[in-house]
Amino acid sequence: MAKFSFELLLIMNKENTTYKDYREPPWSENKYDISKDFWAVLAARLAFVIVFQNLVMFMSDFVDWIIPDIPKDISQQIHKEKVLMVEVFMREEQGKLQMLETWKDNDKKKGENCNNHSPRLSRSHSGSLSSCHSYPLDV
């Protein structure tokens, strides 16, 4: 208790009590205004936050770059599957193309056979095969 009362007496005997803050002292022209030290500390804090934020961002990007999302063996397998799928699609398209060509060849042969055995067509129908083949029409 003696220690407490001694400190209390020291505080009571002082004319001006001060506290730790970044303000102008009471004897200056601008009493208790924010000092230049306050702005320097605030700028340092802001600079630290910005630098720390960018450092964390670049470190996370570096770690993402170092550690792949997909293991190498799986990415190779995916690449092989893509190559196989392209080959399958190419074969399928070639099969469709061959099928179309055979249909065209068969239509040409049927058209030639039909024109050879049919009677002479008039000039107005000479280019059409409608007289040779009958196609059902939906009306």
Side-chain angles (χ1 to χ4, degrees), residues 117-136:
H117 299 295
S118 64
R120 202 71 157 120
L121 298 174
S122 68
R123 289 184 135 187
S124 63
H125 297 292
S126 64
S128 70
L129 297 176
S130 60
S131 62
C132 184
H133 301 289
S134 62
Y135 297 107

Side-chain angles (χ1 to χ4, degrees), residues 16-46:
N16 294 326
T17 57
T18 59
Y19 56 93
K20 185 175 181 179
D21 193 15
Y22 297 106
R23 294 191 179 268
E24 296 292 332
W27 54 83
S28 71
E29 292 179 13
N30 302 325
K31 292 183 178 182
Y32 305 112
D33 281 346
I34 295 173
S35 69
K36 292 180 182 179
D37 293 338
F38 171 80
W39 295 112
V41 169
L42 184 66
R45 286 178 180 173
L46 182 62

Side-chain angles (χ1 to χ4, degrees), residues 70-78:
I70 301 172
K72 193 167 188 166
D73 57 338
I74 292 177
S75 65
Q76 288 174 346
Q77 185 175 357
I78 290 172

Side-chain angles (χ1 to χ4, degrees), residues 23 46 51 56 58 80 87 89 102 109 111 119-120 122:
R23 294 191 179 268
L46 182 62
V51 167
V56 168
F58 287 129
K80 287 178 185 178
E87 288 177 5
F89 287 133
T102 54
K109 288 179 184 177
R120 202 71 157 120
S122 68

Side-chain angles (χ1 to χ4, degrees), residues 39-96:
W39 295 112
V41 169
L42 184 66
R45 286 178 180 173
L46 182 62
F48 173 77
V49 168
I50 291 171
V51 167
F52 186 76
Q53 175 188 0
N54 288 325
L55 179 70
V56 168
M57 183 186 67
F58 287 129
M59 289 300 291
S60 67
D61 287 345
F62 179 71
V63 168
D64 283 346
W65 179 68
I66 292 293
I67 301 171
D69 291 338
I70 301 172
K72 193 167 188 166
D73 57 338
I74 292 177
S75 65
Q76 288 174 346
Q77 185 175 357
I78 290 172
H79 179 71
K80 287 178 185 178
E81 288 177 1
K82 284 183 182 179
V83 169
L84 289 174
M85 289 299 293
V86 167
E87 288 177 5
V88 166
F89 287 133
M90 292 300 288
R91 287 181 194 154
E92 185 176 325
E93 292 298 317
Q94 287 175 351
K96 287 180 184 178

